[in-house]
């Protein structure tokens, strides 16, 4: 049986993320290998060959061969007295480098760099602290920037799309506490400072899944932001993409940038969840 696989028939657990890449460079056997490994989980710590096949989207013969190959390599082990397999501790090696003493800002930087300048002029990762957004990672297009947000710099969460993206997923009392933590001043004629108007905006952001700012935080800048959730599902940070207004209309920018902001925020949320919190936002005392 050939190990090549049609692009539209890749194993469900392993092939979806490759759809945006070059199909001719897609290696089906590698996708199937990770489909087999991904078949195991908290609810399926031990699986038979037939169960692996079903969960990985493979036929039984292929699942059998892949499972025995992975067992020979030390990533699976037979369960004594059964026809089942289990993951081994050797699988931890695959994720150790990513987990080792690294936090969410570190993992955010290469993801942000991927969209600057092709999608946006700058891209940021930040968290909330006492009513402010604190920028923890930032990638900017080379050359002068209308507004530079160095890591450790702050801006009022009430006036920033990044702040709205995080606040929108907090309980109402926590939203109000952050919004009332410092004076709300108009940074432009578009800045919302009324509490009722801001909480209504946050409800809209939560329903939509991302926040948009069109010159509300700084004249001539447009921003799209999405929330990042921790291992418990709490909004703890956000990702924002910003562009100069003359480069693109706000509607066009939202169409282009929102999927990228959501994708990056989702990847960082997955990192926090899959690492069981080992990859996280660093403590506020280290934000500098």
């Amino acid at each position: 049986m050939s190990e090549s696989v049609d692009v539209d028939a890749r194993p469900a657990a392993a092939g979806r993320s490759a759809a945006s890449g070059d199909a001719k460079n897609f290696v089906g056997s590698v996708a199937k290998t990770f489909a087999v490994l991904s078949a195991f989980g908290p609810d399926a710590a031990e699986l038979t060959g037939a169960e692996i096949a079903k969960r990985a989207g493979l036929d039984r013969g292929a699942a059998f061969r892949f499972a025995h190959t992975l067992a020979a390599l030390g990533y699976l082990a037979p369960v004594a007295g059964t026809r089942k397999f289990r993951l081994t501790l050797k699988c931890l090696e695959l994720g150790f480098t990513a987990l080792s003493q690294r936090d969410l800002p570190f993992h955010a930087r290469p993801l942000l760099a991927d969209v600057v300048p092709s999608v946006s002029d700058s891209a940021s990762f930040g968290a909330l602290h006492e009513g402010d957004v604190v920028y923890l990672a930032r990638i900017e297009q080379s050359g002068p920037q209308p507004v530079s947000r160095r890591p450790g710099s702050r801006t009022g969460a009430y006036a920033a799309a990044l702040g709205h993206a995080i606040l929108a997923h907090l309980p109402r009392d926590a939203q109000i506490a952050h919004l009332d933590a410092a004076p709300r001043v108009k940074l432009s004629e578009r800045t919302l400072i009324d509490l009722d108007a801001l909480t209504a905006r946050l409800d809209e952001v939560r329903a939509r899944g991302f926040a948009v700012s069109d010159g509300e935080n700084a004249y001539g800048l447009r921003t799209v932001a999405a929330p990042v959730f921790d291992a418990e599902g709490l909004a703890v940070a956000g990702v924002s993409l910003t562009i100069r207004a003359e480069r693109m209309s706000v509607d066009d920018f939202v169409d282009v940038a929102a999927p990228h902001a959501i994708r990056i925020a989702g990847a960082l949320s997955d990192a926090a969840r899959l690492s069981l919190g080992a990859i996280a936002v660093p403590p506020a005392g280290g934000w500098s």
Side-chain angles (χ1 to χ4, degrees):
M1 175 180 173
S2 173
E3 298 304 339
S4 63
V5 61
D6 183 81
V7 171
D8 294 325
R10 295 165 186 167
R16 291 191 185 104
S17 64
S20 61
D22 190 340
K24 70 182 181 181
N25 293 325
F26 185 85
V27 181
S29 59
V30 175
K32 291 178 180 179
T33 299
F34 281 96
V36 169
L37 293 173
S38 298
F40 294 85
D43 63 334
E46 299 178 354
L47 297 172
T48 65
E51 289 168 336
I52 292 171
K54 182 177 180 180
R55 292 172 68 95
L58 301 173
D59 64 62
R60 291 192 180 190
F64 180 86
R65 293 193 299 275
F66 276 93
H68 279 272
T69 300
L70 286 166
L73 294 172
Y75 292 102
L76 294 182
V79 179
T82 74
R83 295 184 177 183
K84 294 184 176 183
F85 294 88
R86 60 173 175 82
L87 296 177
T88 70
L89 293 177
K90 188 173 182 180
C91 293
L92 293 175
E93 296 176 5
L94 298 173
F96 181 76
T97 300
L99 286 171
S100 179
Q101 298 181 353
R102 300 301 186 184
D103 53 26
L104 279 173
F106 174 87
H107 290 283
R109 290 184 189 101
L111 301 178
L112 301 177
D114 285 344
V115 295
V116 177
S118 59
V119 175
S120 61
D121 297 323
S122 61
S124 303
F125 173 87
L128 283 180
H129 186 246
E130 298 178 349
D132 286 337
V133 167
V134 183
Y135 291 87
L136 302 178
R138 172 85 165 184
I139 301 294
E140 296 179 346
Q141 184 172 316
S142 59
Q145 294 292 318
V147 176
S148 183
R149 307 287 192 192
R150 295 181 181 277
S153 64
R154 295 171 175 253
T155 191
Y158 74 94
L162 186 51
H164 290 182
I166 307 169
L167 285 170
H169 294 272
L170 300 183
R172 184 69 85 201
D173 57 348
Q175 293 176 350
I176 293 173
H178 279 289
L179 294 172
D180 284 344
R184 299 188 296 271
V185 299
K186 277 193 168 289
L187 303 177
S188 79
E189 75 279 0
R190 297 181 177 181
T191 308
L192 292 182
I193 59 172
D194 177 75
L195 185 61
D196 289 340
L198 280 165
T199 54
R201 169 72 69 82
L202 296 180
D203 290 342
E204 294 173 1
V205 170
R206 185 184 181 100
R208 185 174 54 208
F210 61 90
V212 179
S213 172
D214 187 10
E216 296 172 39
N217 187 254
Y219 287 105
L221 295 181
R222 291 169 174 152
T223 300
V224 171
V228 173
F229 300 93
D230 68 8
E232 282 73 46
L234 302 176
V236 293
V239 168
S240 67
L241 309 182
T242 299
I243 198 170
R244 299 183 309 278
E246 66 268 19
R247 183 172 166 184
M248 197 179 297
S249 73
V250 65
D251 289 341
D252 287 345
F253 182 55
V254 169
D255 288 344
V256 171
H260 289 282
I262 292 169
R263 172 181 57 79
I264 295 170
L268 295 172
S269 298
D270 286 345
R273 176 177 57 83
L274 295 172
S275 70
L276 303 180
I279 298 175
V281 175
W287 296 358
S288 59

